[in-house]
Amino acid sequence: MAKQHVVIVGGGLAGLAAAMKLAESGIHVHLVSMVPVKRSHSVCAQGGINAVNDLTRQQGDSEWLHLDDTVYGGDFLQHQPPVKEMCDWGPKIVNLLDRLGVPFNRSPEGFRDQRRFGGTLFKRTAFAGATTGQQLLYALDEQVRRWESEGLIEKFEYWEFLDLILDGNNQCRGVVIQDMFSMEVRSLAADAVILATGGNGLIYGRSTMSMICTGGAAARAFRAGVKYANGEFVQVHPTAIPGTDKLRLMSESARGEGGRVWVPRKPQDPRDPQSIPAAERYYFLEERYPKYGNLVPRDIATREIFDVCVNQGLSAEKGHLCVYLDVTELSAEAHKKLWGILEIYEKFQGVDPRTTPMKIFPAVHYTMGGLWVDYVKKDQSGGLALDSLKNQMSNVPGVYVLGEADYQYHGANRLGANSLLSCIFAGLIVGPAVEAWLKSLPKSSASDSPASLFDNAVKPHQQRMHDLISRAGGENPYHIHNELGEWMTRNVTVVRFNKDLTATLQKIDELEERYSRVGLADKSNWTNQNFSFARALGDMILMAKVITKGALLRDECRGAHYKPEFAIKGPDADDPKKLHQQAEQWCKEFKQQTDKWLKTTIATYTSKGVEFSYEPVDTSLIPPRPRTYGLKGAEIIEKTWKEMTQGAAQKRTEPIGKPVTANA
Amino acid sequence: MSTNDHHHDGHGGNGHGHSNERMVSVRVLRQENPHSGSHWESFEVPYEHGMNITTVLLRIAANPVTTDHHETTPIAYDSCCLEEVCGACTMVINDRVRQGCSALVENLLKDSPEGITLQPMTKFPVVRDLLVNRKPMFESLKKIKAWVHVDGYYDLGGGPRISQKEQEKAYPLSCCMTCGCCVEACPQFNDHSAFIGPAAISQAVLFNAHPTAKVDRDDRLAVLSGAGGITDCGNSQNCVKVCPKGIPLTDSIAQTGRDTTIYKFRQWFGR
Ligand SMILES: Cc1cc2nc3c(=O)[nH]c(=O)nc-3n(C[C@H](O)[C@H](O)[C@H](O)COP(=O)(O)OP(=O)(O)OC[C@H]3O[C@@H](n4cnc5c(N)ncnc54)[C@H](O)[C@@H]3O)c2cc1C
Ligand code: SF4
Ligand code: SF4
Ligand code: FES
């Protein structure tokens, strides 16, 4: 029998963590990436990585509270066992990164420094300046380079993943990939394939994501039969700056270090912001959410900024929507910790944010939805059974998915600094899962499969390339992409209306039709980026449909998915008795909405098009509750909800050894 | 964002309104493949507020027509993060090596109002147009064992205690994005020399200072003492001037000079 092989597609944090973990177990890995792995999108991550630590623990924090913050932040849409396992692993993962040489910021005594992030009251976030993702990626890249020099990992950089190769039993036997220089299309046999290909922000034209974040690879796996879950959940980050090609992020860490968001109380006050006295500034997040202040979770901060600018007309500028993100009051020490992002602002805006408040506005940022993956729960702990071959495996046997490309950990809204954690966590636990899978296979390897299986998989892609390149169509792929981005950004982001979603679906159909007539300016067979982009555009159009249709079908508000037409009206009566009645009514409707919609959207690609179905969510550890974040005026909802559910809560059995702590 | 009547995402347009008809002249050195010759092509691109070089290249890709109305192909180039943190889009812009994404057209035109020239880096083989193959830089990182050799990835507790001072020394060195600016500027790094270049030297300093990675210190110093090592550096200090991350490369070079001297001494005395 030939040697078994694992192909990992994607060399961001998730893919690299998986590669090094498998190499450690002596498993041979082929690592495929469109860009040299050291340049993967993960380098962009700025703020940090979450894990309970010795300090927060003494302030009352625990892994259980990290779990609670994560599922409350995600509006309860994620299965809780994998999230629990991830939060339990948090401290171990940060320790490991520390051992790998990540230059985490230090306290004067030499311990790791911590900052606070959104959606929590604890300083749970470890960081390396304001370029944490870069530093983590480099640490893993170095480990992978070491294994590469020992012969366990072989890299295919500047190779693009095109397809999965499935045998007659629908089991994965390899991948089709293309050399982005020579344009050669070939197959790679694999007994297991791990997809760690990141998010799909480019569907929105400009976002905070990198040029390669088209989601093309996930779309190709979707076409090949992998289910796609919760596509309609797209994170719009509250604080980004404009740009002609990218909306650059100003990390939540700016607020974690004390940065404040405000607008002048007088609409478009023409004064220099520094000369506007405190009393004439509207610190709307702090006023409305006294408990969390500027660090409410992202979906809420984004909606508030949007509301202040669009509905209340308080944008700091006329004709250009923005609010101030103000770090001018912070110490030089804090400025130093934020160096990486302050430098970005200064470089691209030409203004020093240490002395002038930054102008920011929300931008598409993170893909909560993703390819569907499985997990196996361990009853004693409430977490995962880590010896199971099913963890992180998709519905296609032998295909695993990790990182931003999967849907598993962040529900309806991701908390800041939880993504780096979920990427590395999934990368580490997929090791034993893949190992178990390889052991379970009959004594043959994918490379023993008949050559025809591989040839037949490669040929259609060669043909498709030939067709697209030689087509004499008149449509310009870049223009179609711009239109797609504009429609998606206008209608499928912060505030969603069914009529707009319907119109967007029609528009996408039109773009799809035009896409079939795309003609390329570059007809060459050497390093044809024009072609590669046009091919990914087809994938983006498909996934735009999945996102928009999912949004249209989901008639409720949950996390980042907000439909005013289906928002439950908040209690507002002056009379206390009436107010209480309204709150009861609110809670009843909330309960109904939860019963109806607390489920995972599943999209399946069929010959008849995309089909939608729903799956229940495992909320066995922490029952769903209204998500108020201490909003002023919503106290009555929290109180009423507690009264109404008290009986039920007592009946709940808690996992062994984990005390239920009151929510953070 | 349907109620927004300004721009779709509040971030302003993306350049298809051409309200401002100011044009930017861009000359690009093009090369079809590694074996073909190169030639210049000129383009006129409508100016947009805040425009950078990667946007210019995107606009040309959408409308690949030269100044003299010749239909041509989009320009091949490397890019990813678009915020000067991945190192991909390094090229020679107005005769200076730097990242295209952080090169703002407005600033470039201040120094050179007649237009902008784009060329590929010269120290690496051209794949096509502005895209070069920087694989040798990654290979150098293998030679100097640029990693912390840990026992494994199981949970073995935290790393060594590290002082603020040490962190502040390590972090800047660890920001090297293998972009290649330093080697492009280095007169000693070229076809006829085996010089490993300043980026790799600086990485060796980073790992030699790490409490755990120190174990491989002698191996690193052996490489840097040998052919293509530190003695090839002519100390012209070009590298440090072009590093976009402000990495103190000449400090690393000086440090390595001292370390290799001591290392060689120890070798002579067999200890
Ligand atoms: C500006 C910014 C700041 C952020 N800050 C934080 C933060 O502070 N904390 C936090 O937790 N999260 C943060 N995030 C989110 C986090 O960075 C990402 O979710 C995470 O890095 C994704 O990692 P990944 O490994 O899943 O994929 P990526 O890093 O996106 O890597 C994807 C990989 O797949 C490869 N690939 C893709 N398609 C193909 C294909 N077709 N063929 C071959 N290879 C392919 C790419 O080459 C790449 O190697 C931030 C995100 C952004 C945009
Ligand atoms: S100092 Fe040394 S490494 Fe730097 S540019 Fe000069 S010769 Fe090259
Ligand atoms: S040292 Fe500086 S110039 Fe050289 S590769 Fe690293 S980041 Fe680029
Ligand atoms: S695209 Fe990453 S540095 Fe320019």
Side-chain angles (χ1 to χ4, degrees), chain B residues 120-155:
Chain B
M121 282 191 277
T122 59
K123 302 290 171 77
F124 304 99
V126 171
V127 177
R128 184 175 175 182
D129 298 337
L130 303 175
L131 178 63
V132 299
N133 193 344
R134 279 168 281 186
K135 200 158 186 198
M137 285 193 81
F138 293 113
E139 289 301 316
S140 299
L141 294 177
K142 276 188 204 155
K143 284 190 208 139
I144 53 133
K145 298 196 174 173
W147 51 70
V148 181
H149 196 133
V150 292
D151 288 349
Y153 309 127
Y154 288 91
D155 179 25

Short mmCIF file of all heavy atoms in Angstrom, two decimals, chain B residues 120-155:
data_model
loop_
_atom_site.label_atom_id
_atom_site.label_comp_id
_atom_site.label_asym_id
_atom_site.label_seq_id
_atom_site.Cartn_x
_atom_site.Cartn_y
_atom_site.Cartn_z
N PRO B 120 9.29 45.73 -11.70
CA PRO B 120 9.44 44.62 -10.76
C PRO B 120 10.74 44.75 -9.99
O PRO B 120 11.66 45.43 -10.46
CB PRO B 120 9.47 43.39 -11.67
CG PRO B 120 9.97 43.90 -12.97
CD PRO B 120 9.47 45.31 -13.09
N MET B 121 10.85 44.09 -8.86
CA MET B 121 12.12 44.04 -8.16
C MET B 121 13.15 43.37 -9.07
O MET B 121 12.81 42.51 -9.89
CB MET B 121 11.98 43.25 -6.87
CG MET B 121 11.31 44.04 -5.76
SD MET B 121 11.45 43.18 -4.18
CE MET B 121 10.11 42.06 -4.31
N THR B 122 14.41 43.75 -8.91
CA THR B 122 15.44 43.25 -9.84
C THR B 122 16.24 42.08 -9.27
O THR B 122 17.00 41.45 -9.99
CB THR B 122 16.44 44.37 -10.17
OG1 THR B 122 17.02 44.82 -8.95
CG2 THR B 122 15.75 45.54 -10.86
N LYS B 123 16.10 41.79 -8.00
CA LYS B 123 16.93 40.77 -7.37
C LYS B 123 16.31 39.37 -7.41
O LYS B 123 16.87 38.42 -6.88
CB LYS B 123 17.25 41.17 -5.93
CG LYS B 123 17.95 42.50 -5.78
CD LYS B 123 19.39 42.45 -6.31
CE LYS B 123 20.03 43.81 -6.37
NZ LYS B 123 20.48 44.31 -5.07
N PHE B 124 15.12 39.29 -7.97
CA PHE B 124 14.44 37.99 -8.04
C PHE B 124 13.98 37.74 -9.46
O PHE B 124 13.71 38.70 -10.20
CB PHE B 124 13.21 37.98 -7.11
CG PHE B 124 13.54 38.31 -5.68
CD1 PHE B 124 13.34 39.59 -5.19
CD2 PHE B 124 14.06 37.33 -4.84
CE1 PHE B 124 13.66 39.90 -3.87
CE2 PHE B 124 14.39 37.63 -3.53
CZ PHE B 124 14.18 38.92 -3.04
N PRO B 125 13.85 36.46 -9.85
CA PRO B 125 13.39 36.18 -11.21
C PRO B 125 11.95 36.70 -11.41
O PRO B 125 11.10 36.50 -10.55
CB PRO B 125 13.42 34.66 -11.31
CG PRO B 125 13.81 34.13 -9.97
CD PRO B 125 14.18 35.26 -9.08
N VAL B 126 11.74 37.37 -12.54
CA VAL B 126 10.40 37.84 -12.86
C VAL B 126 9.56 36.65 -13.33
O VAL B 126 10.00 35.85 -14.15
CB VAL B 126 10.43 38.91 -13.96
CG1 VAL B 126 9.03 39.25 -14.45
CG2 VAL B 126 11.14 40.17 -13.46
N VAL B 127 8.35 36.53 -12.79
CA VAL B 127 7.41 35.52 -13.27
C VAL B 127 6.61 36.13 -14.41
O VAL B 127 6.53 35.59 -15.51
CB VAL B 127 6.47 35.05 -12.15
CG1 VAL B 127 5.46 34.04 -12.69
CG2 VAL B 127 7.26 34.46 -11.00
N ARG B 128 6.04 37.28 -14.13
CA ARG B 128 5.35 38.04 -15.18
C ARG B 128 5.16 39.48 -14.67
O ARG B 128 4.78 39.66 -13.50
CB ARG B 128 3.99 37.41 -15.47
CG ARG B 128 3.28 38.10 -16.62
CD ARG B 128 1.98 37.41 -17.02
NE ARG B 128 1.32 38.20 -18.04
CZ ARG B 128 0.16 37.92 -18.58
NH1 ARG B 128 -0.50 36.84 -18.19
NH2 ARG B 128 -0.36 38.70 -19.50
N ASP B 129 5.38 40.44 -15.51
CA ASP B 129 5.20 41.86 -15.17
C ASP B 129 5.83 42.22 -13.83
O ASP B 129 7.03 42.16 -13.69
CB ASP B 129 3.71 42.22 -15.21
CG ASP B 129 3.10 42.05 -16.58
OD1 ASP B 129 3.86 42.07 -17.57
OD2 ASP B 129 1.87 41.85 -16.67
N LEU B 130 4.98 42.58 -12.84
CA LEU B 130 5.52 43.02 -11.55
C LEU B 130 5.64 41.89 -10.55
O LEU B 130 6.02 42.09 -9.40
CB LEU B 130 4.61 44.13 -10.98
CG LEU B 130 4.42 45.35 -11.88
CD1 LEU B 130 3.41 46.32 -11.28
CD2 LEU B 130 5.76 46.07 -12.11
N LEU B 131 5.27 40.70 -10.98
CA LEU B 131 5.28 39.54 -10.08
C LEU B 131 6.63 38.83 -10.16
O LEU B 131 7.04 38.40 -11.22
CB LEU B 131 4.14 38.60 -10.50
CG LEU B 131 3.96 37.30 -9.73
CD1 LEU B 131 3.63 37.57 -8.28
CD2 LEU B 131 2.82 36.50 -10.35
N VAL B 132 7.29 38.72 -9.01
CA VAL B 132 8.59 38.04 -8.97
C VAL B 132 8.51 36.86 -8.00
O VAL B 132 7.59 36.77 -7.21
CB VAL B 132 9.71 39.00 -8.51
CG1 VAL B 132 9.86 40.16 -9.47
CG2 VAL B 132 9.46 39.48 -7.08
N ASN B 133 9.50 35.98 -8.09
CA ASN B 133 9.51 34.81 -7.22
C ASN B 133 10.54 34.99 -6.09
O ASN B 133 11.74 34.94 -6.32
CB ASN B 133 9.85 33.57 -8.06
CG ASN B 133 9.57 32.30 -7.28
OD1 ASN B 133 9.42 32.33 -6.05
ND2 ASN B 133 9.50 31.19 -7.97
N ARG B 134 10.01 35.18 -4.89
CA ARG B 134 10.89 35.45 -3.75
C ARG B 134 11.22 34.20 -2.94
O ARG B 134 11.59 34.29 -1.79
CB ARG B 134 10.24 36.50 -2.85
CG ARG B 134 10.44 37.92 -3.34
CD ARG B 134 9.57 38.91 -2.60
NE ARG B 134 8.21 38.88 -3.12
CZ ARG B 134 7.24 39.72 -2.74
NH1 ARG B 134 7.48 40.63 -1.82
NH2 ARG B 134 6.03 39.63 -3.26
N LYS B 135 11.06 33.05 -3.56
CA LYS B 135 11.32 31.81 -2.85
C LYS B 135 12.69 31.76 -2.16
O LYS B 135 12.80 31.26 -1.04
CB LYS B 135 11.19 30.63 -3.83
CG LYS B 135 10.97 29.34 -3.10
CD LYS B 135 10.32 28.29 -3.94
CE LYS B 135 10.05 27.11 -3.01
NZ LYS B 135 9.81 25.87 -3.65
N PRO B 136 13.77 32.30 -2.80
CA PRO B 136 15.08 32.24 -2.13
C PRO B 136 15.05 32.84 -0.72
O PRO B 136 15.76 32.37 0.16
CB PRO B 136 15.97 33.08 -3.06
CG PRO B 136 15.31 33.04 -4.39
CD PRO B 136 13.85 32.90 -4.15
N MET B 137 14.24 33.86 -0.51
CA MET B 137 14.19 34.46 0.83
C MET B 137 13.64 33.47 1.85
O MET B 137 14.09 33.40 3.00
CB MET B 137 13.32 35.71 0.84
CG MET B 137 14.01 36.90 0.19
SD MET B 137 13.14 38.43 0.55
CE MET B 137 13.74 38.80 2.20
N PHE B 138 12.62 32.72 1.44
CA PHE B 138 12.03 31.74 2.36
C PHE B 138 13.01 30.59 2.61
O PHE B 138 13.09 30.06 3.70
CB PHE B 138 10.69 31.23 1.83
CG PHE B 138 9.62 32.29 1.81
CD1 PHE B 138 9.09 32.77 0.62
CD2 PHE B 138 9.13 32.82 3.01
CE1 PHE B 138 8.11 33.76 0.61
CE2 PHE B 138 8.15 33.81 3.00
CZ PHE B 138 7.64 34.28 1.80
N GLU B 139 13.76 30.25 1.56
CA GLU B 139 14.75 29.18 1.72
C GLU B 139 15.83 29.60 2.72
O GLU B 139 16.30 28.78 3.51
CB GLU B 139 15.38 28.82 0.36
CG GLU B 139 14.44 28.09 -0.58
CD GLU B 139 13.89 26.78 -0.01
OE1 GLU B 139 14.69 26.02 0.58
OE2 GLU B 139 12.67 26.54 -0.13
N SER B 140 16.21 30.87 2.69
CA SER B 140 17.23 31.35 3.63
C SER B 140 16.76 31.17 5.08
O SER B 140 17.55 30.91 5.97
CB SER B 140 17.52 32.83 3.41
OG SER B 140 18.02 33.02 2.12
N LEU B 141 15.46 31.34 5.29
CA LEU B 141 14.93 31.19 6.65
C LEU B 141 15.11 29.76 7.15
O LEU B 141 15.25 29.52 8.35
CB LEU B 141 13.45 31.60 6.70
CG LEU B 141 13.18 33.09 6.44
CD1 LEU B 141 11.68 33.36 6.44
CD2 LEU B 141 13.87 33.95 7.49
N LYS B 142 15.09 28.81 6.20
CA LYS B 142 15.35 27.42 6.60
C LYS B 142 16.80 27.27 7.03
O LYS B 142 17.10 26.64 8.03
CB LYS B 142 15.10 26.49 5.41
CG LYS B 142 13.67 26.09 5.24
CD LYS B 142 13.56 25.02 4.16
CE LYS B 142 12.18 25.04 3.57
NZ LYS B 142 12.13 24.51 2.22
N LYS B 143 17.70 27.87 6.23
CA LYS B 143 19.13 27.71 6.51
C LYS B 143 19.48 28.19 7.91
O LYS B 143 20.31 27.59 8.59
CB LYS B 143 19.96 28.52 5.50
CG LYS B 143 20.03 27.86 4.14
CD LYS B 143 21.07 28.57 3.27
CE LYS B 143 20.67 28.42 1.80
NZ LYS B 143 20.86 29.63 1.03
N ILE B 144 18.87 29.28 8.34
CA ILE B 144 19.25 29.80 9.66
C ILE B 144 18.31 29.29 10.75
O ILE B 144 18.29 29.82 11.86
CB ILE B 144 19.30 31.34 9.66
CG1 ILE B 144 17.98 31.91 9.14
CG2 ILE B 144 20.46 31.88 8.83
CD1 ILE B 144 17.46 33.01 10.02
N LYS B 145 17.54 28.26 10.45
CA LYS B 145 16.64 27.66 11.45
C LYS B 145 15.83 28.74 12.17
O LYS B 145 15.92 28.88 13.40
CB LYS B 145 17.44 26.85 12.46
CG LYS B 145 18.18 25.69 11.84
CD LYS B 145 18.63 24.70 12.89
CE LYS B 145 19.23 23.48 12.20
NZ LYS B 145 19.84 22.55 13.13
N ALA B 146 15.08 29.48 11.39
CA ALA B 146 14.29 30.57 11.97
C ALA B 146 13.03 30.02 12.61
O ALA B 146 11.92 30.18 12.10
CB ALA B 146 13.96 31.59 10.88
N TRP B 147 13.21 29.33 13.73
CA TRP B 147 12.06 28.83 14.50
C TRP B 147 12.49 28.51 15.91
O TRP B 147 13.68 28.44 16.22
CB TRP B 147 11.49 27.56 13.82
CG TRP B 147 12.52 26.50 13.52
CD1 TRP B 147 13.18 25.72 14.42
CD2 TRP B 147 13.00 26.12 12.22
NE1 TRP B 147 14.04 24.87 13.76
CE2 TRP B 147 13.95 25.09 12.43
CE3 TRP B 147 12.70 26.53 10.92
CZ2 TRP B 147 14.62 24.48 11.36
CZ3 TRP B 147 13.38 25.92 9.87
CH2 TRP B 147 14.32 24.91 10.09
N VAL B 148 11.50 28.31 16.77
CA VAL B 148 11.77 27.87 18.13
C VAL B 148 11.54 26.37 18.14
O VAL B 148 10.42 25.91 17.87
CB VAL B 148 10.82 28.55 19.14
CG1 VAL B 148 11.15 28.09 20.55
CG2 VAL B 148 10.91 30.07 19.03
N HIS B 149 12.58 25.62 18.40
CA HIS B 149 12.43 24.16 18.37
C HIS B 149 11.82 23.69 19.69
O HIS B 149 12.52 23.48 20.67
CB HIS B 149 13.79 23.50 18.11
CG HIS B 149 13.67 22.08 17.68
ND1 HIS B 149 14.35 21.55 16.63
CD2 HIS B 149 12.90 21.07 18.15
CE1 HIS B 149 14.02 20.29 16.46
NE2 HIS B 149 13.15 19.97 17.39
N VAL B 150 10.52 23.51 19.68
CA VAL B 150 9.83 23.09 20.92
C VAL B 150 9.72 21.56 20.95
O VAL B 150 9.87 20.90 19.91
CB VAL B 150 8.42 23.70 21.02
CG1 VAL B 150 8.50 25.20 21.21
CG2 VAL B 150 7.57 23.35 19.80
N ASP B 151 9.42 21.04 22.13
CA ASP B 151 9.28 19.59 22.27
C ASP B 151 8.07 19.06 21.50
O ASP B 151 8.05 17.92 21.06
CB ASP B 151 9.11 19.20 23.75
CG ASP B 151 10.42 19.37 24.52
OD1 ASP B 151 11.46 19.58 23.86
OD2 ASP B 151 10.38 19.31 25.75
N GLY B 152 7.04 19.86 21.42
CA GLY B 152 5.84 19.39 20.73
C GLY B 152 4.69 20.32 21.06
O GLY B 152 4.87 21.34 21.72
N TYR B 153 3.52 19.94 20.58
CA TYR B 153 2.38 20.86 20.68
C TYR B 153 1.38 20.45 21.75
O TYR B 153 0.25 20.92 21.77
CB TYR B 153 1.73 21.02 19.30
CG TYR B 153 2.76 21.37 18.24
CD1 TYR B 153 2.88 20.64 17.07
CD2 TYR B 153 3.65 22.44 18.45
CE1 TYR B 153 3.85 20.96 16.12
CE2 TYR B 153 4.62 22.76 17.51
CZ TYR B 153 4.72 22.01 16.35
OH TYR B 153 5.68 22.33 15.42
N TYR B 154 1.80 19.55 22.61
CA TYR B 154 0.93 19.23 23.74
C TYR B 154 1.05 20.33 24.78
O TYR B 154 1.95 21.16 24.72
CB TYR B 154 1.30 17.87 24.32
CG TYR B 154 0.88 16.75 23.39
CD1 TYR B 154 1.76 16.27 22.42
CD2 TYR B 154 -0.41 16.23 23.44
CE1 TYR B 154 1.36 15.28 21.54
CE2 TYR B 154 -0.81 15.24 22.57
CZ TYR B 154 0.08 14.77 21.61
OH TYR B 154 -0.32 13.81 20.74
N ASP B 155 0.15 20.33 25.73
CA ASP B 155 0.13 21.39 26.73
C ASP B 155 1.25 21.17 27.75
O ASP B 155 1.19 20.24 28.54
CB ASP B 155 -1.25 21.38 27.42
CG ASP B 155 -1.33 22.43 28.50
OD1 ASP B 155 -0.58 23.43 28.41
OD2 ASP B 155 -2.14 22.27 29.43
#
